[in-house]
Amino acid sequence: MKLRFNNHIISLITALAIASIAIGCRSTQQPQGQTQGSVSGLRSESDARVELRTLTASYGNWQRLRVPVTVSLKSPKNITISGTAVFDRDKSIFISLKFFGFEVANIYATTDSVMVVDKYNKQYACEKTDRFMGDFPITVANVQDLLSGRVFAIGSTQASVADFKESEFDITSTDSWSLIPRSNLKGIDYGFMFQPADILKGVIIKSGDHQPVTITYPQPVTTSFGPMAPEINVTYSTAKATIDASLVWSFDKARWDKDVELRQPTINAKYRRITTDEITKMLSKF
């Protein structure tokens, strides 16, 4: 029973880490679609830009957020566990996971470092953020927007239509289109899919020769600070298995700004630090 529970903890931490740092992947592939104007009667690039401007303008400027979350791993294992996420805008992300009311694991990411704590087995991993993110200038705000189903521009705190002046707009049908941001970063491309035209449906990121990470969102919900996705679904395939995970947010129970107390992980001398090699070996089992 203990071995099985240990594996569950490892699996959930893996799913949580993939969902949290998916945009740190090195990418060489863009979302596929028809080039703009290739199909008669489709909306124009100007229409898409107006929709993007309207969408990003609807994003409110919150400073702190506390929201209940349910993390589910559907493949290669089937596990569900609840917890709480605390976001400090563009500064930190803290996600705590509980089992029968006891905290068993958490992940904490800041501009300086990323720490994953397995409280059940009293072990933790900690890396510099730039190493964890592949040395790309990805901000904490970018990860927060990815997790809440919002358009983001790498390196920017709050995305606006001005961030996508040189981007490519793929008009794929009368009610869907894709946005492929252009940047000077070598080895990274990412794209957003919209369907209907004013709703962010998903994000695609690819890392080197690996299969792409696919992130999808359902219809957004209205919060005190604009639209946010109530769920994020992440699919990623390795040589051994397909990882299918989701995070479900309960925004109806969310707290904002002054009503939020920030949290940080706590460990003591009894905790063992996991090395990079151990993490790699752990993840290679999937």
Side-chain angles (χ1 to χ4, degrees), residues 258-277:
K258 294 181 180 180
D259 292 331
V260 177
E261 182 178 349
L262 299 179
R263 285 196 59 190
Q264 295 183 12
T266 57
I267 58 175
N268 56 44
K270 295 181 179 180
Y271 280 71
R272 181 177 70 91
R273 182 167 182 170
I274 305 173
T275 65
T276 302
D277 289 342

Side-chain angles (χ1 to χ4, degrees), residues 204-218:
I204 295 179
I205 310 110
K206 190 175 185 300
S207 175
D209 296 329
H210 299 288
Q211 295 296 314
V213 176
T214 302
I215 300 164
T216 59
Y217 309 105

